[in-house]
Amino acid sequence: MSSNFQAPKGVNEYVPPRSALYLAARDAFAAVATRAGYSYLELPVFEDTALFSRGVGESTDVVSKEMYTFEDRGGRSLTLRPEFTVGVLRSVIQHNLHRGELPVKVWATGPAFRYERAQAGRYRQFYQVDLEAIGSEDPAVDVETIALAWDWYRELGLTRHSLHLNSLGCRECRPVYRAALQEFLRGLDLDEATRARIELNPLRVLDDKRPEVRAQVEAAPVVTDYLCGACKTHHDKVRELLADLEIPWVDDPRLVRGLDYYTRTTYEFDHPLLGAQSGIGGGGRYDGLSEDIGGPPLPGIGFGLGLDRTVIAMEEEQAAATAGTTVTVYGVPLGEEAQRRIFGLVAALRRAGIAADMSYDGKKLKGAMRGADRSGAAYAVILGERDIAAGSAQVKDLASGDQVAVPLDEIVTTLKERLSQP
């Protein structure tokens, strides 16, 4: 008999054993970010709707079509976060973090929400890791964020991801490019909605995924031909530093991404084994975003990397070994008194830093050992009436099958020694 209730359409749930991959990816990112001096930031899942409208951009699909917006009982319009950057910047400003050492370096993780057609690799509730460096215009900071994402993917065992790089210019040089792009786009055979978008935000047309539109914009002018001297110098420095770190990239002058706040450095990571939804993360600089949401002039750069698509990429590349196992020692009690003692032993192992679990519900030896095998443990500790009388337990190496009696008061020490050996 099964429940009639199911998760809402488009929600990606992680259940064992696949959830181990999700945790491995998330925890590996926490380690990468922390090593680089980034501090953790916990954000609300919903914010004032106007924050996203002003920050992300009214003309984006995210704001115009995809946000989950609702009115609370106090009549306030709230929206489930569709992305992290705007909320991170709001929090930094609200809590005056920008009045200290710059750049402010923070990271966050959790779910985000967009209403769109649910398909493989694209969900209505999806998970991201987010990293932001706020308060610096230095191109070295741009490259630091790219390098941290690159290193994270490599630590997860991914080898086939690629980096696409572009510069979108600044508020000085982009208007010149915008005018040239609009002139070109007005001469194309496009539907009325797209023609309206040309006047509102022509860069969004370049981001259109429809084949018939992409074919027509192939000959459109590229933004890198219109960069001012300062933006060109910045972009050249980013490319130079990437080369110094031996991180390969693809110059992609048509990369604009889907959010209005990007300026200068813009990048995206793709993975060829994910099919149509090949993007696994991306980011860029947003030097005018703080002013857009009512804050002080505060340059910044950061990224959002998709945990869902990263997990799929790990599975496609068979990088699942990075998840490891959750249990190292498995207790097998045979009898009521044995269960009481094994229960205490498992607690002692956990307090000693050893991952441990045990068999419950009075299972017989065969069933309990089946549980030990399924747990992925390296050792089983078997305790029966004769063992209790002898004051020892049987410690079994589940890989080799070797088994030895060990005094009960020495089991934790013995297992710690064995597990510390290479």
Side-chain angles (χ1 to χ4, degrees):
M1 183 176 179
S2 62
S3 169
N4 291 326
F5 292 108
Q6 296 185 356
K9 184 177 181 180
V11 172
N12 192 24
E13 292 185 296
Y14 288 95
V15 300
R18 192 169 184 253
S19 54
L21 275 183
Y22 172 87
L23 285 177
R26 188 190 65 185
D27 293 349
F29 183 82
V32 167
T34 302
R35 285 199 302 265
Y38 287 76
S39 300
Y40 182 68
L41 182 64
E42 182 70 33
L43 296 168
V45 174
F46 55 87
E47 298 261 14
D48 189 312
T49 299
L51 175 69
F52 297 118
S53 298
R54 291 173 59 180
V56 176
E58 293 278 5
S59 67
T60 63
D61 284 348
V62 172
V63 172
S64 63
K65 300 178 182 179
E66 299 171 358
M67 293 202 311
Y68 280 92
T69 298
F70 60 96
E71 187 175 287
D72 72 0
R73 294 184 179 183
R76 294 172 288 266
S77 179
L78 301 172
T79 295
L80 297 178
R81 65 180 176 215
E83 60 96 60
F84 277 81
T85 299
V86 177
V88 169
L89 188 56
R90 187 271 311 152
S91 182
V92 166
I93 295 170
Q94 178 179 338
H95 298 287
N96 292 314
L97 300 184
H98 61 295
R99 299 188 185 277
E101 184 68 23
L102 296 177
V104 179
K105 300 168 72 171
V106 292
W107 72 277
T109 187
F113 307 84
R114 295 184 191 179
Y115 187 86
E116 52 188 337
R117 186 168 66 88
Q119 54 187 299
R122 186 181 289 273
Y123 307 103
R124 293 172 179 171
Q125 176 176 306
F126 55 97
Y127 299 88
Q128 287 190 335
V129 289
D130 180 89
L131 180 141
E132 311 290 345
I134 298 168
S136 173
E137 295 181 341
D138 194 331
V141 178
D142 301 26
V143 176
E144 177 179 88
T145 67
I146 295 172
L148 292 176
W150 185 268
D151 291 346
W152 177 57
Y153 289 135
R154 295 303 295 266
E155 287 195 19
L156 295 179
L158 300 183
T159 61
R160 300 190 59 182
H161 54 290
S162 60
L163 167 64
H164 291 247
L165 182 69
N166 193 21
S167 174
L168 293 179
C170 65
R171 296 190 175 185
E172 298 299 322
C173 57
R174 192 188 296 181
V176 180
Y177 171 64
R178 174 191 170 101
L181 180 60
Q182 285 178 317
E183 183 178 356
F184 172 85
L185 294 175
R186 287 168 183 149
L188 302 182
D189 182 19
L190 300 170
D191 60 86
E192 287 303 314
T194 306
R195 299 191 73 82
R197 180 169 285 184
I198 293 172
E199 307 308 318
L200 188 62
N201 193 332
L203 267 69
R204 296 279 66 77
V205 181
L206 297 182
D207 198 41
D208 198 306
K209 300 298 188 292
R210 291 173 294 174
E212 64 274 19
V213 176
R214 296 185 72 87
Q216 291 192 70
V217 302
E218 188 65 32
V222 295
V223 65
T224 45
D225 290 339
Y226 292 81
L227 296 180
C228 63
C231 287
K232 186 177 187 307
T233 298
H234 188 102
H235 190 48
D236 288 344
K237 187 64 176 180
V238 167
R239 297 161 83 247
E240 176 186 319
L241 292 173
L242 283 172
D244 288 346
L245 296 182
E246 299 183 341
I247 296 177
W249 74 90
V250 177
D251 285 316
D252 190 347
R254 303 205 182 280
L255 176 64
V256 297
R257 297 189 49 76
L259 307 174
D260 278 359
Y261 52 62
Y262 285 119
T263 59
R264 290 191 171 175
T265 303
T266 308
Y267 57 89
E268 189 169 278
F269 295 96
D270 283 358
H271 197 287
L273 301 184
L274 269 64
Q277 305 300 332
S278 61
I280 55 175
R285 182 163 281 283
Y286 43 86
D287 291 347
L289 179 57
S290 179
E291 296 98 309
D292 289 343
I293 63 172
L298 203 58
I301 185 166
F303 59 63
L305 309 179
L307 276 169
D308 306 287
R309 296 189 193 180
T310 299
V311 167
I312 295 172
M314 292 168 70
E315 292 170 328
E316 291 295 328
E317 286 203 45
Q318 299 183 339
T322 55
T325 179
T326 57
V327 175
T328 305
V329 179
Y330 194 89
V332 178
L334 303 175
E336 188 173 335
E337 177 62 19
Q339 183 182 37
R340 187 179 67 84
R341 298 204 180 199
I342 284 289
F343 189 74
L345 175 61
V346 165
L349 287 165
R350 291 170 179 169
R351 289 167 182 162
I354 298 173
D357 199 359
M358 63 179 283
S359 173
Y360 295 95
D361 297 318
K363 290 186 176 68
K364 302 297 184 182
L365 178 62
K366 185 176 180 180
M369 291 305 295
R370 189 182 302 119
D373 291 336
R374 288 174 177 171
S375 75
Y379 293 94
V381 178
I382 306 167
L383 185 66
E385 292 181 2
R386 292 182 181 179
D387 300 304
I388 294 173
S392 62
Q394 304 298 315
V395 175
K396 183 174 183 177
D397 186 321
L398 293 175
S400 67
D402 294 339
Q403 184 171 306
V404 62
V406 177
L408 286 171
D409 58 359
E410 297 179 13
I411 287 179
V412 173
T413 302
T414 298
L415 286 169
K416 286 185 70 174
E417 290 175 351
R418 289 197 183 191
L419 292 169
S420 66
Q421 296 173 0

